[in-house]
Amino acid sequence: MSAVLAQVRADVPAQAEVPLREAAPVAVLDSCFHCGLPVPAASRWHAVVDGAARSMCCPGCAAAAQAIVDGGFADYYATRTEYAAPVEHSADAPELLLYDGQEGQDEASFAVEGMRCAACVWLIERRLGQMPGVLESTLNVATERLHVRWDPAQCKPSVILRTLRMIGYTAYPYDARQHGEQLEKARKKLFRQLFVAGLSMMQVMMYAVPVYLATDGTMDASMTALMHWASLFLTLPAVLYSAQPFFGGAWQDLKRGLPGMDVPVALGIAAAFAGSCAALFTGRGEVYFDSVTMFVFLLLGSRYLELGARRKAASALERLQQGVPAAALRLRGDPAARDSELVAAGALQVGDLVLVKAGQAIPADGVIVDGDTEVDLALLTGESRTQRKTVGDCLPGGAVNAAQTIVLRVSSTATDSTLAMLVRLVEKAGQGKPALALWADRVAAWSVVALLVLTVAVFFAWQAVEPARAWQAAVAVLVVTCPCALSLATPTALAAATDRLLRRGVLAVKPHTLETFERATHIVFDKTGTLTLGRPVLRQAVPVSAQTAEACLRIAAALEADNPHPIAQAIREAGGAAPGLAEQLRYVVGQGVEGCINGRLYRLGSAAFVEGVAGGVARSAAPTGTTSVWLGTTGGWLARFDLSDGLRPEAAEVVQRFKDGGKTVVLLSGDEQGAAQAVAGQLGIATALGGKLPDEKLAFVRSLQMQGAVVAMVGDGINDAAVLSGADVSFAMGRGAELAQLHADGVLLGDGLLPLADAADTARRTLAVIRQNLIWASVYNLVAIPAAASGLLNPWMSGIGMAASSALVVLNALRLRTD
């Protein structure tokens, strides 16, 4: 208990100690029972201690006191010698303290509310970078996710969250469901504001259009004034309600001392509305109520599209987290009895037997011990077709049982399951930013200040030339040059591309993955498990006796019926014999297996092993690049089975697509040169290097880089970890070693190479869209700023231009999500 109190005291601001009163006065209603500070007269906070409601000065003390009682430490209040240190007087304080509970935690992702532009990104990252103990902080404006890494000895999550709230941002540990709910809530509110603004705009236009058309003097002054007064009252809902996001954001920016994009927007709305009111009251000048309502409506429409893009960007992780089952049916005893109990999925241990019914998700990685079924792996791999699984097959956590009930033996806990690892990788993805995004952030963060300076200069310039137009020109400059499009150009495109890739079965983990992959000049493939299946496949069965190849295969398959070795599995798949026909089986490690079938002794294995019963010597040599297994019986040789690692059926197509794209394809393998050259020949790869150790693979990649090549490496094994780290960009096979995946920049989630070719196409399209967006935003500003400053654009035209520019950037980025 003392440790708990010490933790609470360490995390709250120090305040002057309050002398402890006697036991009886502690419960006096004018002092807090927990900390001793005065209780406000209208206080509604309390906690039940020793059966009595005790008054508390704030929700923080109430939460702390209730936690102490609920934890079984109520006697603390009877035995304490001084008051507890007061909790920070904030409704969020107890919530903040709860985030410090994980020992040794040194990094986390947070959801940030209240962000609007790149200036927010710059401010948050700079402010956290100044905190003692914060080692790294990166914020993605499109997904509103902040990743922070800190030194636990110097910093805590509660301090990070409190710092963010001090500068005006609400943050909480990232949870996909909660973040999705917050975005949906924000979307509904924004839609209501958009609806009101649209209604106001249409009504105001009904009064503004007749005034614009009556240029021949057919409308007298009193009627014109009536139209303007009606427009004023219809504009009020748009300014007072719909424009709240802009005024609120601008006020927060000004309090922080860093003007963001909401500042020029709010100034533009306020200036146009105030100028119109002044013109209406004095009877001199132009009114812009129609421009105000149109500007608010169009900008809200652009923000609504942007929020929709953010919602879609967050949906990938939300889908994954929703795929993790919260509970599982654990069997108590004999699987046949199906006696189960409902337990938390996190409580499962290796070796537990769980019952998975049709339609349920697999709670943890495991092996089927009873039943056969079809499983849906779409969430994990992007593959839409179900796969048949039977006894002995491994199932990944997160797959969905699509057919009938099965019993599974857990092989890894829920926290270490395939889906859990994928969720962690997705959370890691997008934490950093590619070079283009960093450049856009830097430009957008400072452009607002430059815009305000420019606006002031334009106003005074027009004051000297034609004062009547100064106000209009300044408002037009404020509105037209808001850097919305520039700040949205890169993150929106990256978020859309990441979502597309994940649906296609590719997870881009590092920030530079797409950017570098698009620039790659060399694609270097590992062989085993990458271009090939990573398991033996029977190439041919060659009989050396009167027996047919099919009969020899059935005999071999019967001998290997219960052998888990990959070669045995390949022979079983080719032979198709029913298990259990062979008797008196004896396995000789490294040599083969012998057994009796219908009373006759057979051996299957190496030539030397079979020679012990068949006599003589093997009659033929195996083809280059294959492994041969011999079958013999007492007094004779029967057959030779040639096996080799089978090529992936899509490997040739993927290699050709890269070659058509102008890439140089290289095969780099640890297998002997003959095997590597044979695979390269089948796939049309000109350069094949075999017999390479891990350090030699890395040396080869570095030699290419020294020659100016940008190298993309694709591998799957533990021995590929070093070269995956050393390449400019790298991808690990989803069924490969976890160590390889941890060192790769991207992970192919399925068991195929086609998603890699799709990733190359997506990378090319993404970089093209980003460049289009940045060029458009830059050209727009270069054209719009002089036009607005010279008085060629009215405020309403500026509003249309700025909103259309932002909407065009978002819509162009969202094209990446379509197939």
Side-chain angles (χ1 to χ4, degrees), residues 19 58 161 184 208 374 390 458 469 500 515 536 554 561 577 685:
C58 68
L161 297 181
E184 180 62 16
E374 299 277 335
T390 186
V458 169
R469 300 185 62 183
R500 171 190 169 90
E515 186 177 7
R554 286 195 294 270
I685 299 175

Side-chain angles (χ1 to χ4, degrees), residues 114 116-117 119-120 123 167 169 246-264 448:
R116 291 167 300 281
C117 63
C120 299
L123 173 64
I167 59 175
Y169 298 96
F246 312 121
F247 291 121
W251 176 243
Q252 292 294 333
D253 289 342
L254 293 176
K255 286 199 301 183
R256 289 190 289 263
L258 181 70
M261 71 166 62
D262 281 335
V263 172
V448 175

Side-chain angles (χ1 to χ4, degrees), residues 324-328 330 343-350 352 363-364 410 412-416:
V324 180
R330 182 170 60 189
V343 299
L348 294 175
Q349 300 295 322
V350 175
D352 284 349
V410 175
S412 65
T413 61
T415 55
D416 295 326

Side-chain angles (χ1 to χ4, degrees), residues 314-665:
S315 64
L317 183 57
E318 184 178 356
R319 288 196 303 268
L320 289 177
Q321 289 194 335
Q322 288 176 346
V324 180
L329 292 172
R330 182 170 60 189
L331 296 179
R332 292 190 175 95
D334 183 7
R338 302 293 171 96
D339 182 20
S340 63
E341 58 179 342
L342 187 66
V343 299
L348 294 175
Q349 300 295 322
V350 175
D352 284 349
L353 295 176
V354 295
L355 192 69
V356 185
K357 298 180 178 180
Q360 293 182 344
I362 308 299
D365 291 359
V367 179
I368 299 177
V369 296
D370 184 23
D372 57 351
T373 186
E374 299 277 335
V375 295
D376 181 0
L377 299 170
L379 188 65
L380 298 169
T381 66
E383 300 170 4
S384 58
R385 291 179 299 177
T386 60
Q387 298 182 16
R388 184 172 180 81
K389 298 292 181 180
T390 186
V391 174
D393 289 337
C394 296
L395 292 183
V400 177
N401 181 12
Q404 59 185 353
T405 301
I406 57 173
V407 176
L408 196 77
R409 177 177 287 108
V410 175
S411 59
S412 65
T413 61
T415 55
D416 295 326
S417 69
T418 302
L419 183 58
M421 185 188 73
L422 179 57
V423 169
R424 289 194 292 270
L425 285 173
V426 174
E427 288 176 341
K428 184 179 178 182
Q431 290 173 2
K433 302 172 188 174
L436 279 173
L438 293 173
W439 176 83
D441 283 354
R442 286 194 297 268
V443 172
W446 291 103
S447 60
V448 175
V449 177
L451 166 61
L452 296 177
V453 173
L454 175 64
T455 301
V456 173
V458 169
F459 178 80
F460 283 109
W462 276 101
Q463 279 290 113
V465 177
E466 188 177 348
R469 300 185 62 183
W471 193 256
Q472 173 182 317
V475 171
V477 171
L478 272 175
V479 171
V480 80
T481 56
C482 181
C484 299
L486 186 61
S487 64
L488 293 173
T490 301
T492 309
L494 289 175
T498 300
D499 180 64
R500 171 190 169 90
L501 285 176
L502 196 57
R503 288 186 288 110
R504 290 294 191 92
V506 182
L507 175 59
V509 179
K510 302 292 178 61
H512 67 90
T513 302
L514 291 176
E515 186 177 7
T516 308
F517 197 29
E518 195 269 343
R519 295 188 296 107
T521 58
H522 288 66
I523 311 296
V524 180
F525 286 99
D526 175 48
K527 183 180 79 71
T528 306
T530 303
L531 290 174
T532 66
L533 296 171
R535 61 179 184 271
V537 174
L538 181 66
R539 291 300 178 193
Q540 60 179 349
V542 181
V544 293
S545 68
Q547 294 269 25
T548 64
E550 292 76 11
C552 292
L553 267 175
R554 286 195 294 270
I555 295 170
L559 293 171
E560 298 282 26
D562 298 320
N563 190 350
H565 194 281
I567 288 180
Q569 181 179 351
I571 291 176
R572 284 200 305 273
E573 291 176 353
L581 295 179
E583 301 174 336
Q584 304 176 28
L585 291 172
R586 181 175 69 92
Y587 293 94
V588 180
V589 177
Q591 297 187 53
V593 59
E594 71 172 18
C596 292
I597 300 177
N598 298 327
R600 190 172 185 181
L601 179 66
Y602 292 91
R603 278 191 178 183
L604 178 71
S606 66
F609 178 62
V610 175
E611 186 179 324
V613 296
V617 295
R619 300 181 182 180
S620 59
T624 302
T626 63
T627 298
S628 292
V629 177
W630 291 87
L631 175 67
T633 185
T634 304
W637 297 81
L638 296 179
R640 187 190 78 230
F641 306 110
D642 298 328
L643 301 99
S644 65
D645 192 359
L647 284 176
R648 292 186 181 276
E650 74 280 2
E653 176 187 347
V654 171
V655 169
Q656 189 60 46
R657 285 173 65 174
F658 281 120
K659 291 170 65 177
D660 292 343
K663 313 290 186 183
T664 300
V665 180

